[in-house]
Every structure is written in structure tokens, then in C-alpha cells.
Amino acid sequence: MTPVFPDEEIARTIPLDEIDVSKPDLYVREAAHPYFARLRKEAPVHYCRESAYGPYWSITKFSDIVAIDTNHKVFSSDVSNGSFVLDDATLNPINGGISLPNFLGMDPPKHDAHRLAVSPIVATENLNRMEPLIRQRTQKVLDELPIGETFNWVDRVSIELTTMMLATLFDFPFEDRRKLTRWSDVVTASPGTGVIDTWEQREQELRECEAYFKDLYAQRARIAPTGDLVSMLAHSPVMQELGSEEFLGTIVLLIVGGNDTTRSSMSGSALANHLFPAEFAKVKANPALINSLVPEIVRWQTPIAHMRRTAIEDIEFQGKKIRKGDKVAMWYLSGNRDEDVIDRPHDFIADRPRARHHLSFGFGIHRCLGNRLAELQIRVLWEEALKRFSQVEVVGEMVRVPSNLIHGFIDIPVRLHR
Amino acid sequence: MPKVIYITHDGAEHVVDVPVGLSAMEGAVQNAIPGIDGDCGGAAACGTCHVFVDQAWIAKAGTPGSTIEKEMLELTDNVAPNSRLSCQIKLTAELDGLVLRMPLGQH
């Protein structure tokens, strides 16, 4: 069954130049898809003159997104030119935000050096080493879930599994691990959306994060490398130059990148199971299909709705004149529903041919660093879940994250069937 | 059709005929050879079709061409002087017998 979205009628009739797909309300109601469908068809490179984030371009077709994402010489991620998310306040000291510079917000060559300093954590060898631990924890989390009782899948499964993983990657004190979840939520929050009340509160909580990680850093710096991310930062020659702001910026990048994203994919997979049970039955009958099920989950959910670039020179793109300084949003959530590239894009198809061909990880030099770890965690989750449950049934109203960046859930009330 | 010999990290050899004009990545993906993913579909934009060109073939197939291929290889695990993104190796008659080895994993 193909999901039906709110706002179909409004999206069809609203004047094109009044469409603003950045409104968080659209994501709370999962109502952005009809607007994206209209833009893909009628204005694939679309200029929104007024929004809460100022004027910005929307890129909504799959192939256009690849073109922008791989042209980092014109479409910069560097914090000195802007930001890599639409809302400048998320990472810059603007409108109440604080400065959180990190390598996702850098252009080469500094980007490359910083990225390479931490990338060994998610290299194949390391993932192979971590798989037994991930499996053991997943089995325990699933075994402790109640059967036939309503509970929040996001909290008990998605958050629990991804937060444990993140604690392991940092070698973070395990009993304090929900602090990571909290900081992850705080980074991408703005006042009035339920996570924080004021910008001052956000800054204060992020300073606590900084102090906590500075302690860990000092401990790891005193001992030989231990293989975790904090130790890597403490011992990497290129990371010695990190100032206080870059330290916190890098930490929060690793927290959000390693937490919110896989959390949202795991949450989305519960909804997919509810809406498309026959697709999961296919995988139960033919376990090899896990190899396409996992990327299909990541595509169908698209945990990061957009990434933004800033044009650093005038350029003509698909007949539109994008000017130096313009904000350009690549809507991965739209590109992953582009009918020209993806057949029946709103449907969840477990054995989708070429399922790996999706935009959720981005393309080019800023492509998701932890993509293979994310896939491993989701694979283990469903290998183990399919052994235990016949269905995850969504039994109540879901609550979605009010964000045009984090495409995820706060609450998915479910009941498990054996 | 040129023959391409793909050798996976554990040493298994897969010999397939790949039509002239296709890329070595497409040859692997279309023949379901494990170890090459090609997530981006051939734009040198993801780094998941990384291969090591056999020493004997370096002159003919061993040099990264485009800027993006070089940039992506710089961010890839375990790169070597003979590393290429196989989506950027277009098969020609001259490459009949090409030997490509795969890394432990694509990332």
C-alpha cells in the first residue's frame, strides 16, 4: 500500500513561488512529499524568496542533487561561506546559536585531513571486530521487549541501540550514555520545538558536553592510543591544532552523525514493517534479501532530509542563475522519491533492484563516513528481529521530529507479534 | 568481448566477459560479483567500487583520470598507488585480460 500524505490538494494548487519546503511543520505532519513532487515536476531548481532561514534554492531531482553534491568547488560546505544546514544558527554564532566548526563544514584540504583522522573507526576491519558485540546487544535489547504490550519503539530500540553504539565508539562511560542522546537532540534543536526552551539553555548544555569530553580527552591523551574516537582525536597529529570551538564542533558532528541518523532509520524501519509486512516476509523466507532490505530502509526513511551548500561563485545550473552567496538546499528526501530514478519510490520494496543507489548518504567528498556501520547495525537489528517477531504493529499516533534536517521520530507506539 | 578477471579479497577469481564501453564496475555489478558495490551508479562519487589494478596492467588501466576520482580515492581506506575506482575504467579491446583485485571491504 502506498502511503497517502496530507496537503496533496494545497501542494497541487499553491503558486510555485509560495512553496517553502523548509517549514518544520511539514515534517511534523510528513506533508512535504506532495510539495516535493510538484517541485520535481515543475521547478526542479526552485527559488524560495522568503523563509525562516532567508532566501534559498531547492534542488529536488536525484541527478541534480548528485551534480551539486559532487561540485564542492562551486558549492561550498565551508563554515566561512555559510553552513551545511539551512539554519545558520545550528552551527554558527548567529541568531542565538554558537560556533560549532567541524570537518563536514570544511572544504579541502583541511576537510580531508580531519576526516582521515577519524575514519579508521569505521573501516571494514573495525566493523568486523565490532559485529559480535553489536549482535549480542541487539539480541538482549530485543529479548527484553514485551510481547503484546504497547511501547515506544524509538526509545526502547532505536535510541537504546544507537546510543550504546555511540558510547562504544567514544569509549564513553556506559552508565552516562543517555547524555549522548540528549546532546545529539540538543545540537539540532531550536527553542520552541520541545527539546530546549531558550538558546541560553542550548549553549549551557553544549558547554557541559564540551567539559565532559575535555575530561575524557585529557584521560586518553595521557595513555597510549586505545582505538576509540576520543583517543584518535587526542593522538592524531593533525587534530592537535583543534581549538576549543573546533573540538566541540567535531564532537557534536560525531555524536549527531553517529546517533540521530541510524536512530531515524531504525525507527522508520518499524513503520515500514507495519505498512509493508509482506516485504519483510520476503526477507524472512529468503535471508539473502537482507542485502537489499537494509539500503531500502535507509532510502525509504532518508534520515537526513537535506544538506545545504553555499555557492561561492555565480553559476548557471539547469537554466537558473545561482549567485555567489546563495544558499542551496539538496533535498535528499525528495531525490530519494524521484520517479525518474527510483521505480514506485513511495513503496517499500525489500528486493528492490539496485537498492544501494540512493541519496541518503550523500555523494562526493562529504559522503557519510559511518554509512557501513549504520548498515551493519540495521542489518543485525532485522536479522535478529525477524527471528523473534512476525510483525511490528504501529498501534497509535506517531510523533515526528519537528525538523527539516533530522527526518525522524520521537514516539512510535508499537505492539509486537510473535 | 574483453575478459576481466576480478579477484576478491579472499582470493576467489571471477572471470567474466564485459562488453566494450561498459565500466569494470558495471561488469562486476551486472555479473553479481561480490566485493564491488558501485552505490553512486558510476559517477566516481561514492568510492564503493575501489579496486587494485594488477601490476602488469598499470600502464593501460592504472591512472586515475578525473579530479573527482582522485579526490574520492584520497578519502578511501587502504589506497595504494595502483588504486582506481572501477567505474572509471571503461573496457576496450586493449584491456582484454585485465586483472583487478578487491579490497577487504568497500566504504
Side-chain angles (χ1 to χ4, degrees):
Chain A
M1 73 190 240
T2 301
V4 178
F5 301 104
D7 287 11
E8 298 270 7
E9 183 57 30
I10 305 170
R12 227 188 339 265
T13 51
I14 186 174
L16 267 181
D17 61 1
E18 286 175 26
I19 292 180
D20 174 9
V21 285
S22 74
K23 289 178 182 163
D25 164 66
L26 295 179
Y27 301 88
V28 177
R29 298 183 296 117
E30 187 69 346
H33 285 302
Y35 296 96
F36 284 135
R38 174 104 181 270
L39 291 183
R40 285 194 302 271
K41 206 163 157 215
E42 296 177 31
V45 179
H46 172 262
Y47 193 64
C48 173
R49 266 179 197 79
E50 274 181 41
S51 82
Y53 318 99
Y56 67 95
W57 293 92
S58 282
I59 311 297
T60 46
K61 295 285 290 177
F62 190 111
S63 57
D64 290 343
I65 291 170
V66 176
I68 300 278
D69 222 353
T70 53
N71 188 359
H72 60 84
K73 288 192 177 67
V74 174
F75 298 101
S76 169
S77 295
D78 204 276
V79 67
S80 63
N81 299 313
S83 184
F84 58 83
V85 294
L86 265 179
D87 189 350
D88 286 331
T90 306
L91 297 162
N92 301 13
I94 294 172
N95 307 330
I98 60 170
S99 178
L100 296 168
N102 59 60
F103 63 84
L104 190 49
M106 289 175 196
D107 291 340
K110 198 173 169 187
H111 159 268
D112 297 13
H114 281 208
R115 180 180 166 118
L116 288 167
V118 294
S119 67
I121 195 87
V122 286
T124 308
E125 298 87 333
N126 216 31
L127 299 190
N128 291 345
R129 258 197 303 280
M130 287 191 286
E131 182 171 340
L133 177 67
I134 294 171
R135 191 170 300 279
Q136 184 196 329
R137 283 177 179 169
T138 305
Q139 289 168 337
K140 183 159 184 290
V141 163
L142 296 181
D143 284 341
E144 287 170 358
L145 295 174
I147 303 290
E149 269 174 49
T150 303
F151 67 91
N152 179 3
W153 174 276
V154 178
D155 185 61
R156 301 255 333 235
V157 179
S158 317
I159 290 180
E160 190 59 4
L161 287 174
T162 52
T163 303
M164 286 196 287
M165 188 72 248
L166 194 57
T168 300
L169 297 178
F170 283 123
D171 195 10
F172 190 90
F174 211 61
E175 64 285 3
D176 277 352
R177 66 186 184 276
R178 287 272 173 152
K179 285 181 189 293
L180 295 168
T181 321
R182 172 69 193 168
W183 291 326
S184 183
D185 291 342
V186 167
V187 175
T188 53
S190 50
T193 50
V195 177
I196 49 160
D197 296 323
T198 62
W199 287 111
E200 292 71 31
Q201 184 196 352
R202 176 175 180 268
E203 171 160 6
Q204 188 206 326
E205 292 200 37
L206 292 176
R207 293 292 169 218
E208 285 165 21
C209 169
E210 181 179 8
Y212 198 113
F213 270 94
K214 280 198 165 151
D215 271 354
L216 288 182
Y217 182 95
Q219 293 165 24
R220 304 286 151 76
R222 281 194 296 271
I223 57 174
T226 44
D228 60 87
L229 282 168
V230 180
S231 178
M232 282 179 185
L233 293 181
H235 291 278
S236 155
V238 300
M239 290 301 199
Q240 298 307 307
E241 66 191 61
L242 284 193
S244 195
E245 285 185 346
E246 274 190 347
F247 177 75
L248 180 59
T250 305
I251 292 291
V252 301
L253 171 65
L254 296 169
I255 290 177
V256 175
N259 189 60
D260 258 322
T261 48
T262 309
R263 182 204 300 180
S264 298
S265 291
M266 286 182 171
S267 301
S269 69
L271 176 59
N273 184 289
H274 170 80
L275 293 173
F276 301 94
E279 296 301 312
F280 286 77
K282 282 185 199 168
V283 184
K284 198 160 184 161
N286 177 7
L289 291 181
I290 196 85
N291 291 324
S292 49
L293 176 79
V294 171
E296 179 67 351
I297 287 170
V298 178
R299 179 197 72 86
W300 191 78
Q301 177 55 32
T302 315
I304 296 290
H306 85 272
M307 281 278 118
R308 168 223 165 163
R309 302 292 183 253
T310 309
I312 53 174
E313 56 186 72
D314 292 355
I315 187 171
E316 184 161 320
F317 184 78
Q318 303 291 27
K320 303 281 184 184
K321 286 202 170 63
I322 297 178
R323 301 200 185 276
K324 181 178 175 178
D326 285 357
K327 293 180 174 183
V328 180
M330 304 176 287
W331 292 100
Y332 295 150
L333 188 60
S334 171
N336 275 339
R337 295 290 188 275
D338 184 347
E339 305 77 355
D340 287 349
V341 176
I342 294 162
D343 190 34
R344 291 160 55 205
H346 288 292
D347 290 354
F348 185 96
I349 301 173
D351 52 355
R352 186 180 282 284
R354 304 185 63 229
R356 304 195 58 82
H357 191 50
H358 64 70
L359 291 167
S360 296
F361 297 133
F363 284 121
I365 60 167
H366 294 291
R367 184 170 162 84
C368 176
L369 180 61
N371 57 352
R372 298 299 161 146
L373 175 60
E375 290 176 342
L376 171 60
Q377 295 177 82
I378 297 165
R379 173 166 64 79
V380 171
L381 170 61
W382 282 101
E383 281 172 350
E384 297 299 328
L386 288 170
K387 282 184 210 160
R388 287 166 174 75
F389 319 120
S390 64
Q391 204 207 331
V392 181
E393 184 191 1
V394 178
V395 291
E397 193 90 1
M398 297 183 294
V399 182
R400 291 172 180 270
V401 180
S403 167
N404 57 36
L405 175 67
I406 305 296
H407 185 234
F409 301 83
I410 294 165
D411 191 352
I412 305 183
V414 300
R415 205 171 293 162
L416 298 175
H417 298 263
R418 218 189 275 285
Chain B
M1 259 191 262
K3 260 188 205 338
V4 180
I5 298 138
Y6 298 92
I7 305 176
T8 56
H9 191 259
D10 58 13
E13 267 191 40
H14 302 261
V15 184
V16 294
D17 295 319
V18 182
V20 167
L22 282 197
S23 72
M25 178 278 285
E26 290 167 309
V29 169
Q30 290 179 9
N31 289 286
I33 294 168
I36 291 181
D37 295 330
D39 292 3
C40 76
C46 68
T48 66
C49 65
H50 176 207
V51 294
F52 303 107
V53 175
D54 184 82
Q55 293 299 330
W57 290 90
I58 285 186
K60 283 179 181 156
T63 314
S66 59
T67 311
I68 183 166
E69 184 184 358
K70 287 176 201 156
E71 287 173 342
M72 292 307 291
L73 280 171
E74 276 169 26
L75 300 172
T76 302
D77 296 331
N78 305 316
V79 278
N82 60 334
S83 286
R84 293 280 327 254
L85 295 183
S86 58
C87 69
Q88 301 301 300
I89 304 176
K90 295 276 178 265
L91 271 302
T92 59
E94 220 196 350
L95 290 177
D96 186 23
L98 176 66
V99 179
L100 302 174
R101 289 186 174 77
M102 298 176 206
L104 174 63
Q106 300 289 352
H107 169 218

